[in-house]
Amino acid sequence: MTVTGVPADGRIGTPLLRKEDPPLLTGEARFVEDLVVPGALHAAVLRSPHANARIRSLDISGALASPGVVAAFTGADLREEWAQPLPCAWPVTADIKIPEHLPLAVEHVSYGGDAVAVVVGESREAAVDALDAVVVDYEPLPAVVDLQEALTDRVVVHESLGSNRCYTWSLIPDPAAVDSAFAEAAHVVKERYVQQRLIPNAMETRGVCVVPQPFGGDYTIYSATQIPHILKVMLGIVTGIPEQKLRVVAPWVGGGFGSKLNVYAEEALCLALARRLKRPVRWTEERIENAQATIQGRGMIQEIELAADRDGRVRAVRVNLLADMGAYLQLVTPGIPLLGAFLYHGVYDIPAYAFTCTGVFTTKTATDADRGAGRPEATYAIEPAMDALAHQLGLDPAEVRRRNFIATEKFPYSSAAGLVFDSGDYGPALDQALELAAYEATRKEQQDRRNAGANKRIGIGLSCYVEMCGLAPSRVLASLNYSAGGWEAATVRLMATGKVQVVTGSTPHGQGHETCWSQIVADRLGVDPDDVDVVSGDTALSPAGMDTYGSRSLSVGGVAVWQATEKVIAKARAIAAHQMEASEEDLELVGGSFQVKGTPSRSMAIQAVAFEAFTAHNLPDGMEPGLEAQVTYDPPNFTFPFGTHVAVVEVDSETGDVDLVRYVAVDDCGNQVNPMIVEGQVHGGVVQGIAQALYEEAVYDQDGNLRTSTLTDYLVPSAAEVPSFTLGHTVTPSPTNPMGVKGVGEAGTIASTPAVMNAVLDALAPLGVTALDMPASPQRVWEAVERAKKAAEGEER
Amino acid sequence: MIPASFDYQRAASAEEAVSMLREHGEEAKLLAGGHSLLPLMKLRLATPSVVIDVGRIRELSYLRDGGDQVSIGALTRHRDVETSELLQREVPILAHVAGLVGDPQVRHRGTIGGSLAHGDPASDLPAVVLALGGTLVVQGPGGRRDIPATEFFQGFLETALAPEEMLVEIRVPKARGGWSYQKFNRRAIDWAIVGVAAVRNGTTGVALVNMGPVPLRASAVEQALAGGASAADAAALAAEGTDPSADLNASVEYRQHLARVLVRRALEEAGA
Ligand SMILES: Cc1cc2nc3c(=O)[nH]c(=O)nc-3n(C[C@H](O)[C@H](O)[C@H](O)COP(=O)(O)OP(=O)(O)OC[C@H]3O[C@@H](n4cnc5c(N)ncnc54)[C@H](O)[C@@H]3O)c2cc1C
């Protein structure tokens, strides 16, 4: 399983060590904050301490008089800077309500952390110190924290919208089928789950630095973003600066998990300030600001119902979501629940489907994409519900799942929700996971401990998942009202010296694109992966792209690289055939050289072909010089990775402490380009899902104050909290792309939360505990056990 | 996360630190490992105008065998306490618990003196020194004085140290009998939600972490044990005299429950 030290030639499928790591480990990598920009001013943002308030007055004169301060502005001062408010690119319905979201609030603040003023100083310290000198008189208004309370409209967050109801979106292809399945059901399961809000904590917080160029009114925007290409378009729209005058550069970016898939107030602010002050302006987010003013994830109440027949075969699933938008709609806030909307039947062949989601405004930080975005929620609904069904039927959870799997011969499978699943083979992944987890032996130990009345109870949890990645076929996005396409661009260029430059529109922020793209090109061309360089994240060098999110990079961006490489090979073949006076059909590319089939002594290295293409001294008639190709790939379908995860926990029923003792993940992401990177993605993803199950929660009090704004209170787990994982995989290639790849960036997060929670409930079931909110903190577990005990005592009496 | 501005001074000896404290009065703060003070300053919950760095006073970093006790210099880092063979042999609970503080980075910076002087009821080492019945040696303008650990912790983050005094040494009796430390937390790096230190050294000392505004002796438990009660019966009294607060991790009721369970486990493990 451990891949370190395995010799890797860099071909597809080998665990080549990451090219990214030496610069990261030696500190050579430069993040936005590291950039030395002479003459740059520092911005600091004053944020509302209230969740909901009117601004009676705002006095910045004290800040202006503070040492080292160059300028300070209120929302009213900057009102004219904005050609448009901050964008929401996914208005999911025609009648969606969208509140005006300006980079600085003008009269009203809608969440604790809403920006109200900005101070610009010669140093960061001067700007931060001067924030204390800004005087704001707020008229506090009641907060809206609870989702159900928000729906009542007793307090309306945005009065101009008249209601907190943002939208209602449904997917019910055949309502009658759903109704009759429930009418005829032998077993009905009805469950309610709460997706607590999560705070994405990238190692690098956000940061931006805008540099006005000396000529032509151009601006270079350095930002710790996942989406330089989208950001360029959006900042042009917000500030009214023509898009072509903006260049966005994402240098090394220290993670994002979706939180940097956005267009933020501070990015627009720094651009507007640089335009106004005619000097570079930079801003670096503090960790507490990251908790308050970067988007949060999840935040939903889910109701799920299953209708099953006597044998436990599920005939219909009905889902109702209440989704917390927060105070404003960020880039894709309303669309997040829709990314899971099609997957609430999970890996099961369920013929009738009903999904409805209502988005509501609250006086909290906006929600948006957080690793998995919509699919972890879907998986956390269907998988615990399947356990509830197994419980009702008195069946083993593995057996209920097996009975309901989409049969292998049904792929490509048309789901009741309207998707076509590309490929799948669910049984073998489950079998392998159970074997790696020593399922039977663990069940026996569990029973032994129960019989002995042991305090420490064992629980085993299964999670069979499927997700959709490869965002996305542009036409599908259109049907969902999304305002952009889902294609990706790549250029592969052979240089005169035989080295290769790859330009990708898919912008990495920790994944390992450089390594994988090098492997794809090296594998196809037969060159050394070290001879391949990958350029990304700079809109001047890579003008076309849709960036990185939704586990799309390999299955869209990587496929574009593959296709561009194939185009290069086709042209190279023509040149080689011309030079070698052979026919193209007689040439094969072997180990980096074109050879005449059957006569390996007659060959021409790809590097030599590149040089010929460069000099253009002897090319076929009519052929353009140069050896490069550009491809823009629009995927024909999503890809559907899947797998089974098994968690084994030990629950201390006396203290409520949950100890995760074993974790098995069997994932199928189709063909693997670099198995070490796949493992890394699974490891990190699994920990993030465990975090939702056991540790992390953005807690707000009744007044809308965020109580978990530091990393002392917001519990991000580390390697010390998790066991060493046992990984396995199966390989079911996707038929929709030539590489047969699927995607693995979010799989771990999608699968692991239900595995862990199912395990905790499995441990507690004999004590009478049937429901538990996340995270399963010791106090929560203890209280649930105490409640169940009291209920049992009450029954006995 | 930028502290308010302050002056920085470095003291070369305890005497110099004390005279600097005299000069600047309550406006000044000593800086040892900085792992409690600097976070407070970055959050601007502490805004000293002068920071006196004592972290480099080498002669206050030591572990010495003093016959029936061990003397530890106030500036000894957690890591040195954790790995001290003297302590591992003579006062194993202290070495063990120093190894449970935060993470390796914290243990390489934080000092035992800083941990005690800070007086955080959630910290591990104060409870251990209490359970051991240790003594704190402080130096002031008029020289040194000894303060029993039982009299040192006076209120939330308040100790018997006068503003012009510095903690210079901690003395703990050798304790080779049974012992246990129960640290209940959610992540390895976290402070205890509740902690229990139990040491058998003739009598049994039991101290509680995070069960009130100050680190506490579990007097009711100790008395019951002295009177011959079983571990289980004594542990049932663990919450007596405590005044824990409620926070995101635990309600008052849950903390009291944990105290009873953890004291029982500690007594069982210590063989009391
Ligand atoms: C991430 C993290 C995790 C942690 N986890 C734990 C944990 O699990 N358990 C735990 O117990 N602690 C924990 N700590 C706290 C850590 O142990 C601190 O190092 C310790 O509490 C303070 O020691 P210090 O030397 O860093 O003191 P400093 O921060 O330098 O000082 C703390 C206070 O004591 C005063 N002071 C320091 N030395 C003296 C002296 N000699 N005389 C008089 N006054 C003095 C200072 O003026 C200041 O008010 C953690 C800290 C961090 C940052």
Coordinates of all heavy atoms in Angstrom, one line a residue, chain A residues 430-457:
Chain A
L430 N -17.7 -3.3 -2.2 CA -18.2 -3.6 -0.8 C -17.5 -4.9 -0.3 O -17.1 -4.9 0.9 CB -19.8 -3.8 -0.9 CG -20.4 -4.3 0.4 CD1 -20.3 -3.4 1.5 CD2 -21.9 -4.6 0.1
D431 N -17.4 -5.9 -1.1 CA -16.8 -7.1 -0.7 C -15.4 -6.8 -0.2 O -15.0 -7.3 0.9 CB -16.7 -8.1 -1.8 CG -18.1 -8.6 -2.3 OD1 -19.0 -8.4 -1.5 OD2 -18.2 -9.1 -3.4
Q432 N -14.6 -6.1 -1.0 CA -13.2 -5.8 -0.6 C -13.2 -5.0 0.7 O -12.3 -5.3 1.6 CB -12.6 -5.0 -1.7 CG -11.1 -5.0 -1.5 CD -10.4 -4.1 -2.6 OE1 -9.5 -3.3 -2.3 NE2 -10.7 -4.3 -3.9
A433 N -14.1 -4.1 0.9 CA -14.0 -3.2 2.1 C -14.3 -4.1 3.3 O -13.7 -4.0 4.3 CB -15.0 -2.1 2.0
L434 N -15.3 -5.0 3.2 CA -15.7 -5.8 4.3 C -14.5 -6.7 4.7 O -14.3 -7.0 5.9 CB -17.0 -6.6 4.0 CG -18.2 -5.8 3.8 CD1 -19.4 -6.7 3.5 CD2 -18.5 -4.9 5.0
E435 N -13.9 -7.2 3.7 CA -12.8 -8.1 3.9 C -11.6 -7.4 4.6 O -11.1 -7.8 5.6 CB -12.3 -8.7 2.6 CG -11.4 -9.9 2.9 CD -10.9 -10.5 1.5 OE1 -11.7 -10.5 0.6 OE2 -9.7 -10.8 1.5
L436 N -11.3 -6.2 4.1 CA -10.2 -5.4 4.7 C -10.5 -5.0 6.1 O -9.7 -4.9 7.0 CB -9.9 -4.2 3.9 CG -9.2 -4.4 2.5 CD1 -9.2 -3.1 1.7 CD2 -7.8 -5.0 2.7
A437 N -11.8 -4.9 6.4 CA -12.2 -4.4 7.8 C -12.4 -5.6 8.7 O -12.8 -5.5 9.8 CB -13.5 -3.6 7.7
A438 N -12.2 -6.8 8.2 CA -12.4 -8.1 9.0 C -13.8 -8.0 9.6 O -14.0 -8.1 10.8 CB -11.4 -8.2 10.1
Y439 N -14.8 -7.8 8.7 CA -16.2 -7.5 9.1 C -16.7 -8.6 10.0 O -17.2 -8.2 11.1 CB -17.0 -7.3 7.8 CG -18.4 -6.8 8.1 CD1 -18.6 -5.5 8.6 CD2 -19.5 -7.6 7.8 CE1 -19.9 -5.0 8.8 CE2 -20.8 -7.1 8.1 CZ -21.0 -5.8 8.5 OH -22.3 -5.4 8.8
E440 N -16.7 -9.8 9.6 CA -17.3 -10.9 10.4 C -16.6 -10.9 11.8 O -17.3 -11.0 12.8 CB -17.2 -12.2 9.7 CG -17.9 -12.3 8.4 CD -19.4 -12.0 8.6 OE1 -20.0 -12.3 9.7 OE2 -20.0 -11.4 7.6
A441 N -15.3 -10.9 11.9 CA -14.6 -11.0 13.1 C -14.9 -9.8 14.0 O -15.1 -9.9 15.2 CB -13.1 -11.1 12.9
T442 N -15.0 -8.6 13.4 CA -15.4 -7.4 14.2 C -16.8 -7.5 14.7 O -17.0 -7.1 15.9 CB -15.1 -6.2 13.3 OG1 -13.9 -6.3 12.7 CG2 -15.1 -4.9 14.2
R443 N -17.7 -8.0 13.9 CA -19.1 -8.2 14.4 C -19.1 -9.1 15.6 O -19.8 -8.9 16.6 CB -20.0 -8.8 13.3 CG -20.4 -7.7 12.3 CD -21.8 -7.1 12.7 NE -22.2 -6.1 11.7 CZ -22.4 -4.8 12.1 NH1 -22.3 -4.4 13.3 NH2 -22.8 -4.0 11.1
K444 N -18.3 -10.1 15.6 CA -18.2 -11.1 16.7 C -17.7 -10.4 17.9 O -18.2 -10.6 19.0 CB -17.4 -12.3 16.3 CG -17.4 -13.4 17.3 CD -16.7 -14.7 16.9 CE -16.7 -15.6 18.1 NZ -16.2 -15.0 19.4
E445 N -16.6 -9.7 17.8 CA -16.0 -9.0 18.9 C -17.1 -8.0 19.5 O -17.2 -7.9 20.7 CB -14.8 -8.2 18.5 CG -14.0 -7.7 19.7 CD -12.8 -6.8 19.3 OE1 -12.4 -6.8 18.1 OE2 -12.3 -6.1 20.2
Q446 N -17.8 -7.4 18.6 CA -18.8 -6.4 19.1 C -19.8 -7.2 19.9 O -20.2 -6.7 21.0 CB -19.5 -5.9 17.8 CG -20.7 -5.0 18.1 CD -21.4 -4.5 16.8 OE1 -21.7 -5.3 15.9 NE2 -21.6 -3.2 16.7
Q447 N -20.2 -8.3 19.5 CA -21.2 -9.1 20.2 C -20.7 -9.6 21.6 O -21.3 -9.5 22.6 CB -21.7 -10.3 19.4 CG -23.0 -10.9 19.9 CD -24.1 -9.9 20.1 OE1 -24.4 -9.1 19.2 NE2 -24.7 -9.8 21.3
D448 N -19.4 -10.0 21.5 CA -18.8 -10.5 22.8 C -18.8 -9.4 23.8 O -19.1 -9.6 25.0 CB -17.3 -11.0 22.5 CG -17.3 -12.3 21.7 OD1 -18.4 -12.9 21.6 OD2 -16.2 -12.6 21.2
R449 N -18.4 -8.2 23.4 CA -18.3 -7.1 24.3 C -19.7 -6.8 24.8 O -19.9 -6.4 26.0 CB -17.7 -5.9 23.6 CG -16.3 -6.0 23.4 CD -15.6 -4.7 23.6 NE -14.3 -4.7 22.9 CZ -13.6 -3.6 22.7 NH1 -14.0 -2.5 23.1 NH2 -12.4 -3.7 22.1
R450 N -20.7 -6.8 24.0 CA -22.1 -6.5 24.4 C -22.5 -7.6 25.4 O -23.0 -7.2 26.5 CB -23.0 -6.6 23.2 CG -23.1 -5.3 22.4 CD -24.0 -5.4 21.2 NE -23.8 -4.3 20.3 CZ -24.3 -4.2 19.1 NH1 -25.0 -5.2 18.6 NH2 -24.0 -3.2 18.4
N451 N -22.2 -8.8 25.2 CA -22.6 -9.9 26.1 C -21.9 -9.6 27.5 O -22.5 -9.9 28.5 CB -22.2 -11.2 25.6 CG -23.0 -11.6 24.3 OD1 -24.0 -10.9 24.0 ND2 -22.5 -12.5 23.5
A452 N -20.6 -9.2 27.4 CA -19.9 -9.0 28.7 C -20.3 -7.7 29.4 O -19.8 -7.4 30.4 CB -18.4 -9.0 28.4
G453 N -21.2 -6.9 28.7 CA -21.6 -5.6 29.3 C -20.5 -4.6 29.4 O -20.4 -3.8 30.3
A454 N -19.5 -4.7 28.5 CA -18.4 -3.8 28.5 C -18.8 -2.3 28.3 O -19.7 -2.0 27.6 CB -17.3 -4.2 27.5
N455 N -18.0 -1.4 29.0 CA -18.2 0.0 28.8 C -17.9 0.5 27.4 O -18.6 1.3 26.8 CB -17.3 0.7 29.8 CG -18.1 1.3 30.9 OD1 -19.3 1.5 30.8 ND2 -17.4 1.5 32.0
K456 N -16.8 -0.1 26.9 CA -16.4 0.4 25.6 C -17.0 -0.5 24.5 O -16.7 -1.7 24.4 CB -14.8 0.3 25.5 CG -14.2 1.2 26.5 CD -12.9 1.8 26.0 CE -12.5 3.0 26.9 NZ -11.1 3.3 26.8
R457 N -17.9 0.1 23.8 CA -18.7 -0.6 22.8 C -18.2 -0.4 21.4 O -17.8 0.7 21.1 CB -20.2 -0.1 22.9 CG -20.8 -0.6 24.2 CD -22.1 0.1 24.4 NE -22.7 -0.5 25.6 CZ -23.5 -1.5 25.6 NH1 -23.8 -2.1 24.4 NH2 -23.9 -2.1 26.7

